PDB file of all heavy atoms in Angstrom:
ATOM      1  N   ILE A 148     247.855 181.161  72.730  1.00 98.00           N
ATOM      2  CA  ILE A 148     249.164 180.890  72.117  1.00 98.00           C
ATOM      3  C   ILE A 148     248.916 180.096  70.842  1.00 98.00           C
ATOM      4  O   ILE A 148     248.423 178.970  70.884  1.00 98.00           O
ATOM      5  CB  ILE A 148     250.064 180.072  73.077  1.00 98.00           C
ATOM      6  CG1 ILE A 148     250.259 180.823  74.401  1.00 98.00           C
ATOM      7  CG2 ILE A 148     251.407 179.778  72.418  1.00 98.00           C
ATOM      8  CD1 ILE A 148     251.096 180.052  75.426  1.00 98.00           C
ATOM      9  N   GLY A 149     249.209 180.676  69.710  1.00 98.00           N
ATOM     10  CA  GLY A 149     248.999 180.008  68.429  1.00 98.00           C
ATOM     11  C   GLY A 149     249.532 180.918  67.342  1.00 98.00           C
ATOM     12  O   GLY A 149     249.902 182.067  67.602  1.00 98.00           O
ATOM     13  N   ILE A 150     249.560 180.436  66.113  1.00 98.00           N
ATOM     14  CA  ILE A 150     250.092 181.264  65.021  1.00 98.00           C
ATOM     15  C   ILE A 150     249.286 180.998  63.751  1.00 98.00           C
ATOM     16  O   ILE A 150     248.623 179.954  63.645  1.00 98.00           O
ATOM     17  CB  ILE A 150     251.622 180.987  64.846  1.00 98.00           C
ATOM     18  CG1 ILE A 150     252.294 182.099  64.012  1.00 98.00           C
ATOM     19  CG2 ILE A 150     251.878 179.618  64.240  1.00 98.00           C
ATOM     20  CD1 ILE A 150     253.825 182.113  64.140  1.00 98.00           C
ATOM     21  N   GLY A 151     249.336 181.906  62.803  1.00 98.00           N
ATOM     22  CA  GLY A 151     248.560 181.743  61.560  1.00 98.00           C
ATOM     23  C   GLY A 151     247.087 181.678  61.887  1.00 98.00           C
ATOM     24  O   GLY A 151     246.565 182.490  62.654  1.00 98.00           O
ATOM     25  N   GLY A 152     246.410 180.667  61.369  1.00 98.00           N
ATOM     26  CA  GLY A 152     244.979 180.534  61.599  1.00 98.00           C
ATOM     27  C   GLY A 152     244.638 180.296  63.059  1.00 98.00           C
ATOM     28  O   GLY A 152     243.499 180.519  63.483  1.00 98.00           O
ATOM     29  N   SER A 153     245.600 179.861  63.838  1.00 98.00           N
ATOM     30  CA  SER A 153     245.347 179.617  65.260  1.00 98.00           C
ATOM     31  C   SER A 153     245.549 180.885  66.087  1.00 98.00           C
ATOM     32  O   SER A 153     245.516 180.835  67.316  1.00 98.00           O
ATOM     33  CB  SER A 153     246.270 178.492  65.762  1.00 98.00           C
ATOM     34  OG  SER A 153     245.975 177.302  65.057  1.00 98.00           O
ATOM     35  N   ASP A 154     245.751 181.996  65.387  1.00 98.00           N
ATOM     36  CA  ASP A 154     245.962 183.282  66.059  1.00 98.00           C
ATOM     37  C   ASP A 154     245.157 184.406  65.391  1.00 98.00           C
ATOM     38  O   ASP A 154     244.412 185.141  66.057  1.00 98.00           O
ATOM     39  CB  ASP A 154     247.459 183.630  65.996  1.00 98.00           C
ATOM     40  CG  ASP A 154     247.758 185.069  66.336  1.00 98.00           C
ATOM     41  OD1 ASP A 154     247.624 185.426  67.515  1.00 98.00           O
ATOM     42  OD2 ASP A 154     248.119 185.847  65.428  1.00 98.00           O
ATOM     43  N   LEU A 155     245.306 184.520  64.074  1.00 98.00           N
ATOM     44  CA  LEU A 155     244.791 185.723  63.392  1.00 98.00           C
ATOM     45  C   LEU A 155     243.275 185.869  63.481  1.00 98.00           C
ATOM     46  O   LEU A 155     242.773 186.980  63.697  1.00 98.00           O
ATOM     47  CB  LEU A 155     245.230 185.712  61.920  1.00 98.00           C
ATOM     48  CG  LEU A 155     246.718 185.996  61.704  1.00 98.00           C
ATOM     49  CD1 LEU A 155     247.157 185.574  60.306  1.00 98.00           C
ATOM     50  CD2 LEU A 155     247.018 187.474  61.922  1.00 98.00           C
ATOM     51  N   VAL A 202     246.750 176.719  71.096  1.00 98.00           N
ATOM     52  CA  VAL A 202     245.936 176.422  69.917  1.00 98.00           C
ATOM     53  C   VAL A 202     246.844 176.010  68.768  1.00 98.00           C
ATOM     54  O   VAL A 202     247.659 176.799  68.295  1.00 98.00           O
ATOM     55  CB  VAL A 202     245.125 177.668  69.474  1.00 98.00           C
ATOM     56  CG1 VAL A 202     244.134 177.285  68.379  1.00 98.00           C
ATOM     57  CG2 VAL A 202     244.398 178.294  70.647  1.00 98.00           C
ATOM     58  N   SER A 203     246.701 174.765  68.342  1.00 98.00           N
ATOM     59  CA  SER A 203     247.475 174.325  67.186  1.00 98.00           C
ATOM     60  C   SER A 203     246.784 173.115  66.583  1.00 98.00           C
ATOM     61  O   SER A 203     246.612 172.106  67.255  1.00 98.00           O
ATOM     62  CB  SER A 203     248.902 173.954  67.617  1.00 98.00           C
ATOM     63  OG  SER A 203     249.605 173.433  66.515  1.00 98.00           O
ATOM     64  N   LYS A 204     246.433 173.253  65.326  1.00 98.00           N
ATOM     65  CA  LYS A 204     245.762 172.133  64.658  1.00 98.00           C
ATOM     66  C   LYS A 204     246.643 170.884  64.730  1.00 98.00           C
ATOM     67  O   LYS A 204     246.194 169.804  65.078  1.00 98.00           O
ATOM     68  CB  LYS A 204     245.458 172.512  63.206  1.00 98.00           C
ATOM     69  CG  LYS A 204     244.717 171.446  62.445  1.00 98.00           C
ATOM     70  CD  LYS A 204     244.302 171.916  61.074  1.00 98.00           C
ATOM     71  CE  LYS A 204     243.672 170.751  60.317  1.00 98.00           C
ATOM     72  NZ  LYS A 204     243.295 171.095  58.959  1.00 98.00           N
ATOM     73  N   THR A 205     247.917 171.060  64.423  1.00 98.00           N
ATOM     74  CA  THR A 205     248.833 169.913  64.386  1.00 98.00           C
ATOM     75  C   THR A 205     249.417 169.591  65.764  1.00 98.00           C
ATOM     76  O   THR A 205     249.888 168.501  66.010  1.00 98.00           O
ATOM     77  CB  THR A 205     250.014 170.255  63.472  1.00 98.00           C
ATOM     78  OG1 THR A 205     250.549 171.529  63.903  1.00 98.00           O
ATOM     79  CG2 THR A 205     249.581 170.358  62.025  1.00 98.00           C
ATOM     80  N   PHE A 206     249.429 170.540  66.640  1.00 98.00           N
ATOM     81  CA  PHE A 206     250.109 170.479  67.938  1.00 98.00           C
ATOM     82  C   PHE A 206     251.592 170.156  67.729  1.00 98.00           C
ATOM     83  O   PHE A 206     252.223 169.451  68.527  1.00 98.00           O
ATOM     84  CB  PHE A 206     249.447 169.478  68.887  1.00 98.00           C
ATOM     85  CG  PHE A 206     249.206 170.076  70.252  1.00 98.00           C
ATOM     86  CD1 PHE A 206     248.243 171.059  70.432  1.00 98.00           C
ATOM     87  CD2 PHE A 206     249.960 169.688  71.362  1.00 98.00           C
ATOM     88  CE1 PHE A 206     248.036 171.642  71.685  1.00 98.00           C
ATOM     89  CE2 PHE A 206     249.759 170.268  72.618  1.00 98.00           C
ATOM     90  CZ  PHE A 206     248.794 171.248  72.773  1.00 98.00           C
ATOM     91  N   ALA A 207     252.144 170.718  66.668  1.00 97.00           N
ATOM     92  CA  ALA A 207     253.550 170.456  66.366  1.00 97.00           C
ATOM     93  C   ALA A 207     254.250 171.705  65.846  1.00 97.00           C
ATOM     94  O   ALA A 207     255.432 171.640  65.526  1.00 97.00           O
ATOM     95  CB  ALA A 207     253.634 169.348  65.316  1.00 97.00           C
ATOM     96  N   THR A 208     253.524 172.813  65.766  1.00 97.00           N
ATOM     97  CA  THR A 208     254.114 174.013  65.170  1.00 97.00           C
ATOM     98  C   THR A 208     255.190 174.587  66.085  1.00 97.00           C
ATOM     99  O   THR A 208     254.952 174.816  67.281  1.00 97.00           O
ATOM    100  CB  THR A 208     252.997 175.048  64.895  1.00 97.00           C
ATOM    101  OG1 THR A 208     252.057 174.428  64.021  1.00 97.00           O
ATOM    102  CG2 THR A 208     253.523 176.314  64.267  1.00 97.00           C
ATOM    103  N   GLN A 209     256.380 174.790  65.496  1.00 96.00           N
ATOM    104  CA  GLN A 209     257.557 175.157  66.300  1.00 96.00           C
ATOM    105  C   GLN A 209     257.294 176.371  67.205  1.00 96.00           C
ATOM    106  O   GLN A 209     257.566 176.342  68.404  1.00 96.00           O
ATOM    107  CB  GLN A 209     258.721 175.465  65.347  1.00 96.00           C
ATOM    108  CG  GLN A 209     260.033 175.719  66.047  1.00 96.00           C
ATOM    109  CD  GLN A 209     261.047 176.374  65.108  1.00 96.00           C
ATOM    110  OE1 GLN A 209     260.759 177.357  64.436  1.00 96.00           O
ATOM    111  NE2 GLN A 209     262.240 175.805  65.061  1.00 96.00           N
ATOM    112  N   GLU A 210     256.758 177.441  66.598  1.00 97.00           N
ATOM    113  CA  GLU A 210     256.573 178.690  67.345  1.00 97.00           C
ATOM    114  C   GLU A 210     255.629 178.475  68.534  1.00 97.00           C
ATOM    115  O   GLU A 210     255.876 178.931  69.652  1.00 97.00           O
ATOM    116  CB  GLU A 210     255.979 179.779  66.438  1.00 97.00           C
ATOM    117  CG  GLU A 210     256.868 180.235  65.291  1.00 97.00           C
ATOM    118  CD  GLU A 210     256.720 179.372  64.041  1.00 97.00           C
ATOM    119  OE1 GLU A 210     256.239 178.215  64.140  1.00 97.00           O
ATOM    120  OE2 GLU A 210     257.108 179.846  62.957  1.00 97.00           O
ATOM    121  N   THR A 211     254.532 177.777  68.266  1.00 98.00           N
ATOM    122  CA  THR A 211     253.509 177.584  69.299  1.00 98.00           C
ATOM    123  C   THR A 211     254.025 176.691  70.417  1.00 98.00           C
ATOM    124  O   THR A 211     253.814 176.980  71.606  1.00 98.00           O
ATOM    125  CB  THR A 211     252.239 176.987  68.654  1.00 98.00           C
ATOM    126  OG1 THR A 211     251.829 177.887  67.637  1.00 98.00           O
ATOM    127  CG2 THR A 211     251.132 176.784  69.658  1.00 98.00           C
ATOM    128  N   MET A 212     254.715 175.630  70.032  1.00 98.00           N
ATOM    129  CA  MET A 212     255.220 174.718  71.067  1.00 98.00           C
ATOM    130  C   MET A 212     256.293 175.405  71.917  1.00 98.00           C
ATOM    131  O   MET A 212     256.350 175.220  73.140  1.00 98.00           O
ATOM    132  CB  MET A 212     255.780 173.437  70.410  1.00 98.00           C
ATOM    133  CG  MET A 212     254.708 172.580  69.757  1.00 98.00           C
ATOM    134  SD  MET A 212     253.455 172.039  70.961  1.00 98.00           S
ATOM    135  CE  MET A 212     252.003 172.823  70.378  1.00 98.00           C
ATOM    136  N   VAL A 239     243.718 173.298  72.293  1.00 98.00           N
ATOM    137  CA  VAL A 239     242.736 173.266  71.201  1.00 98.00           C
ATOM    138  C   VAL A 239     243.468 172.700  70.003  1.00 98.00           C
ATOM    139  O   VAL A 239     244.468 173.277  69.554  1.00 98.00           O
ATOM    140  CB  VAL A 239     242.202 174.683  70.889  1.00 98.00           C
ATOM    141  CG1 VAL A 239     241.297 174.635  69.663  1.00 98.00           C
ATOM    142  CG2 VAL A 239     241.454 175.271  72.076  1.00 98.00           C
ATOM    143  N   THR A 240     243.002 171.587  69.493  1.00 98.00           N
ATOM    144  CA  THR A 240     243.773 170.898  68.460  1.00 98.00           C
ATOM    145  C   THR A 240     242.915 169.887  67.702  1.00 98.00           C
ATOM    146  O   THR A 240     241.829 169.511  68.155  1.00 98.00           O
ATOM    147  CB  THR A 240     244.979 170.168  69.113  1.00 98.00           C
ATOM    148  OG1 THR A 240     245.799 169.630  68.084  1.00 98.00           O
ATOM    149  CG2 THR A 240     244.539 169.055  70.055  1.00 98.00           C
ATOM    150  N   SER A 241     243.426 169.438  66.560  1.00 98.00           N
ATOM    151  CA  SER A 241     242.789 168.279  65.926  1.00 98.00           C
ATOM    152  C   SER A 241     243.655 167.038  66.176  1.00 98.00           C
ATOM    153  O   SER A 241     243.352 165.961  65.685  1.00 98.00           O
ATOM    154  CB  SER A 241     242.593 168.526  64.428  1.00 98.00           C
ATOM    155  OG  SER A 241     243.841 168.626  63.800  1.00 98.00           O
ATOM    156  N   PHE A 259     238.962 170.018  67.110  1.00 98.00           N
ATOM    157  CA  PHE A 259     238.354 170.262  65.800  1.00 98.00           C
ATOM    158  C   PHE A 259     238.932 169.224  64.852  1.00 98.00           C
ATOM    159  O   PHE A 259     239.658 168.336  65.292  1.00 98.00           O
ATOM    160  CB  PHE A 259     238.492 171.724  65.364  1.00 98.00           C
ATOM    161  CG  PHE A 259     239.868 172.264  65.161  1.00 98.00           C
ATOM    162  CD1 PHE A 259     240.339 172.569  63.891  1.00 98.00           C
ATOM    163  CD2 PHE A 259     240.711 172.507  66.236  1.00 98.00           C
ATOM    164  CE1 PHE A 259     241.604 173.098  63.694  1.00 98.00           C
ATOM    165  CE2 PHE A 259     241.985 173.041  66.054  1.00 98.00           C
ATOM    166  CZ  PHE A 259     242.424 173.319  64.770  1.00 98.00           C
ATOM    167  N   GLY A 264     240.322 173.832  57.740  1.00 98.00           N
ATOM    168  CA  GLY A 264     241.630 174.420  57.443  1.00 98.00           C
ATOM    169  C   GLY A 264     241.985 175.444  58.517  1.00 98.00           C
ATOM    170  O   GLY A 264     241.104 176.118  59.061  1.00 98.00           O
ATOM    171  N   GLY A 265     243.274 175.583  58.814  1.00 98.00           N
ATOM    172  CA  GLY A 265     243.713 176.505  59.864  1.00 98.00           C
ATOM    173  C   GLY A 265     243.128 177.904  59.688  1.00 98.00           C
ATOM    174  O   GLY A 265     242.606 178.505  60.625  1.00 98.00           O
ATOM    175  N   ARG A 266     243.185 178.430  58.464  1.00 98.00           N
ATOM    176  CA  ARG A 266     242.730 179.816  58.235  1.00 98.00           C
ATOM    177  C   ARG A 266     241.205 179.929  58.187  1.00 98.00           C
ATOM    178  O   ARG A 266     240.683 181.018  57.990  1.00 98.00           O
ATOM    179  CB  ARG A 266     243.390 180.384  56.977  1.00 98.00           C
ATOM    180  CG  ARG A 266     243.231 179.531  55.731  1.00 98.00           C
ATOM    181  CD  ARG A 266     244.210 179.971  54.645  1.00 98.00           C
ATOM    182  NE  ARG A 266     244.191 179.111  53.469  1.00 98.00           N
ATOM    183  CZ  ARG A 266     244.897 178.000  53.333  1.00 98.00           C
ATOM    184  NH1 ARG A 266     245.663 177.570  54.322  1.00 98.00           N
ATOM    185  NH2 ARG A 266     244.842 177.291  52.219  1.00 98.00           N
ATOM    186  N   TYR A 267     240.531 178.800  58.299  1.00 98.00           N
ATOM    187  CA  TYR A 267     239.061 178.778  58.311  1.00 98.00           C
ATOM    188  C   TYR A 267     238.536 178.277  59.651  1.00 98.00           C
ATOM    189  O   TYR A 267     237.408 177.800  59.738  1.00 98.00           O
ATOM    190  CB  TYR A 267     238.543 177.859  57.188  1.00 98.00           C
ATOM    191  CG  TYR A 267     238.985 178.292  55.811  1.00 98.00           C
ATOM    192  CD1 TYR A 267     240.202 177.872  55.287  1.00 98.00           C
ATOM    193  CD2 TYR A 267     238.196 179.145  55.038  1.00 98.00           C
ATOM    194  CE1 TYR A 267     240.625 178.287  54.030  1.00 98.00           C
ATOM    195  CE2 TYR A 267     238.613 179.568  53.785  1.00 98.00           C
ATOM    196  CZ  TYR A 267     239.830 179.134  53.292  1.00 98.00           C
ATOM    197  OH  TYR A 267     240.248 179.560  52.053  1.00 98.00           O
ATOM    198  N   SER A 268     239.387 178.353  60.691  1.00 98.00           N
ATOM    199  CA  SER A 268     239.066 177.582  61.901  1.00 98.00           C
ATOM    200  C   SER A 268     238.457 178.380  63.048  1.00 98.00           C
ATOM    201  O   SER A 268     238.103 177.812  64.066  1.00 98.00           O
ATOM    202  CB  SER A 268     240.334 176.878  62.405  1.00 98.00           C
ATOM    203  OG  SER A 268     241.303 177.829  62.788  1.00 98.00           O
ATOM    204  N   VAL A 273     238.767 176.627  68.042  1.00 98.00           N
ATOM    205  CA  VAL A 273     239.818 177.653  67.913  1.00 98.00           C
ATOM    206  C   VAL A 273     239.281 179.015  68.373  1.00 98.00           C
ATOM    207  O   VAL A 273     240.034 179.875  68.815  1.00 98.00           O
ATOM    208  CB  VAL A 273     240.345 177.696  66.453  1.00 98.00           C
ATOM    209  CG1 VAL A 273     241.276 178.865  66.222  1.00 98.00           C
ATOM    210  CG2 VAL A 273     241.045 176.382  66.120  1.00 98.00           C
ATOM    211  N   GLN A 347     246.231 186.232  55.353  1.00 98.00           N
ATOM    212  CA  GLN A 347     246.390 184.775  55.422  1.00 98.00           C
ATOM    213  C   GLN A 347     245.278 184.084  54.639  1.00 98.00           C
ATOM    214  O   GLN A 347     245.529 183.179  53.851  1.00 98.00           O
ATOM    215  CB  GLN A 347     246.393 184.253  56.865  1.00 98.00           C
ATOM    216  CG  GLN A 347     246.759 182.763  56.883  1.00 98.00           C
ATOM    217  CD  GLN A 347     246.368 182.003  58.136  1.00 98.00           C
ATOM    218  OE1 GLN A 347     245.584 182.482  58.951  1.00 98.00           O
ATOM    219  NE2 GLN A 347     246.897 180.809  58.289  1.00 98.00           N
ATOM    220  N   GLU A 351     247.348 182.769  51.545  1.00 98.00           N
ATOM    221  CA  GLU A 351     247.704 181.367  51.778  1.00 98.00           C
ATOM    222  C   GLU A 351     246.791 180.459  50.945  1.00 98.00           C
ATOM    223  O   GLU A 351     247.165 179.356  50.582  1.00 98.00           O
ATOM    224  CB  GLU A 351     247.590 181.020  53.275  1.00 98.00           C
ATOM    225  CG  GLU A 351     248.331 179.748  53.642  1.00 98.00           C
ATOM    226  CD  GLU A 351     248.532 179.564  55.145  1.00 98.00           C
ATOM    227  OE1 GLU A 351     247.533 179.267  55.827  1.00 98.00           O
ATOM    228  OE2 GLU A 351     249.666 179.709  55.644  1.00 98.00           O
ATOM    229  N   ASP A 502     245.154 174.009  50.303  1.00 97.00           N
ATOM    230  CA  ASP A 502     246.427 173.508  50.843  1.00 97.00           C
ATOM    231  C   ASP A 502     247.372 174.691  51.015  1.00 97.00           C
ATOM    232  O   ASP A 502     247.022 175.838  50.730  1.00 97.00           O
ATOM    233  CB  ASP A 502     247.013 172.400  49.946  1.00 97.00           C
ATOM    234  CG  ASP A 502     247.295 172.882  48.527  1.00 97.00           C
ATOM    235  OD1 ASP A 502     247.288 174.107  48.290  1.00 97.00           O
ATOM    236  OD2 ASP A 502     247.537 172.041  47.651  1.00 97.00           O
ATOM    237  N   GLN A 503     248.581 174.447  51.513  1.00 97.00           N
ATOM    238  CA  GLN A 503     249.546 175.537  51.740  1.00 97.00           C
ATOM    239  C   GLN A 503     250.950 174.961  51.749  1.00 97.00           C
ATOM    240  O   GLN A 503     251.725 175.185  52.669  1.00 97.00           O
ATOM    241  CB  GLN A 503     249.244 176.319  53.038  1.00 97.00           C
ATOM    242  CG  GLN A 503     249.187 175.532  54.341  1.00 97.00           C
ATOM    243  CD  GLN A 503     247.925 174.739  54.488  1.00 97.00           C
ATOM    244  OE1 GLN A 503     246.835 175.236  54.227  1.00 97.00           O
ATOM    245  NE2 GLN A 503     248.064 173.474  54.876  1.00 97.00           N
ATOM    246  N   GLY A 505     253.407 175.767  50.136  1.00 96.00           N
ATOM    247  CA  GLY A 505     254.449 176.793  50.013  1.00 96.00           C
ATOM    248  C   GLY A 505     255.048 177.238  51.336  1.00 96.00           C
ATOM    249  O   GLY A 505     256.066 177.931  51.356  1.00 96.00           O
ATOM    250  N   VAL A 506     254.437 176.870  52.449  1.00 96.00           N
ATOM    251  CA  VAL A 506     255.006 177.310  53.732  1.00 96.00           C
ATOM    252  C   VAL A 506     255.990 176.279  54.295  1.00 96.00           C
ATOM    253  O   VAL A 506     256.645 176.521  55.305  1.00 96.00           O
ATOM    254  CB  VAL A 506     253.893 177.590  54.790  1.00 96.00           C
ATOM    255  CG1 VAL A 506     252.946 178.672  54.305  1.00 96.00           C
ATOM    256  CG2 VAL A 506     253.130 176.324  55.143  1.00 96.00           C
ATOM    257  N   GLU A 507     256.086 175.116  53.623  1.00 95.00           N
ATOM    258  CA  GLU A 507     256.843 174.006  54.221  1.00 95.00           C
ATOM    259  C   GLU A 507     258.358 174.152  54.145  1.00 95.00           C
ATOM    260  O   GLU A 507     259.075 173.842  55.089  1.00 95.00           O
ATOM    261  CB  GLU A 507     256.443 172.675  53.561  1.00 95.00           C
ATOM    262  CG  GLU A 507     255.009 172.258  53.846  1.00 95.00           C
ATOM    263  CD  GLU A 507     254.716 172.160  55.344  1.00 95.00           C
ATOM    264  OE1 GLU A 507     255.584 171.710  56.107  1.00 95.00           O
ATOM    265  OE2 GLU A 507     253.612 172.585  55.743  1.00 95.00           O
ATOM    266  N   LYS A 510     260.097 176.105  56.809  1.00 94.00           N
ATOM    267  CA  LYS A 510     260.037 175.403  58.103  1.00 94.00           C
ATOM    268  C   LYS A 510     261.104 174.318  58.160  1.00 94.00           C
ATOM    269  O   LYS A 510     261.814 174.169  59.157  1.00 94.00           O
ATOM    270  CB  LYS A 510     258.672 174.722  58.285  1.00 94.00           C
ATOM    271  CG  LYS A 510     257.498 175.650  58.504  1.00 94.00           C
ATOM    272  CD  LYS A 510     256.257 174.793  58.799  1.00 94.00           C
ATOM    273  CE  LYS A 510     254.976 175.556  58.640  1.00 94.00           C
ATOM    274  NZ  LYS A 510     253.781 174.730  58.751  1.00 94.00           N
TER     275      LYS A 510
HETATM  276  O1  LIG B 601     247.478 175.351  63.914  1.00 81.58           O
HETATM  277  P1  LIG B 601     248.849 174.940  63.557  1.00 81.58           P
HETATM  278  O2  LIG B 601     248.938 173.505  63.169  1.00 81.58           O
HETATM  279  O3  LIG B 601     249.813 175.281  64.661  1.00 81.58           O
HETATM  280  O4  LIG B 601     249.286 175.764  62.275  1.00 81.58           O
HETATM  281  C1  LIG B 601     249.348 177.145  62.302  1.00 81.58           C
HETATM  282  C2  LIG B 601     249.403 177.730  60.917  1.00 81.58           C
HETATM  283  O5  LIG B 601     250.518 177.231  60.220  1.00 81.58           O
HETATM  284  C3  LIG B 601     250.178 177.029  58.853  1.00 81.58           C
HETATM  285  O6  LIG B 601     250.117 175.665  58.627  1.00 81.58           O
HETATM  286  C4  LIG B 601     251.205 177.647  57.946  1.00 81.58           C
HETATM  287  O7  LIG B 601     252.482 177.322  58.339  1.00 81.58           O
HETATM  288  C5  LIG B 601     248.831 177.682  58.689  1.00 81.58           C
HETATM  289  O8  LIG B 601     248.112 177.188  57.632  1.00 81.58           O
HETATM  290  C6  LIG B 601     248.225 177.435  60.020  1.00 81.58           C
HETATM  291  O9  LIG B 601     247.130 178.259  60.255  1.00 81.58           O
END
Side-chain angles (χ1 to χ4, degrees):
I148 302 178
I150 196 163
S153 298
D154 165 71
L155 288 163
V202 188
S203 175
K204 182 174 175 183
T205 51
F206 228 70
T208 301
Q209 186 195 49
E210 295 87 340
T211 302
M212 292 300 116
V239 174
T240 186
S241 65
F259 63 110
R266 53 195 175 274
Y267 301 87
S268 63
V273 172
Q347 188 199 14
E351 197 166 72
D502 60 14
Q503 57 284 315
V506 300
E507 293 304 322
K510 290 185 197 173

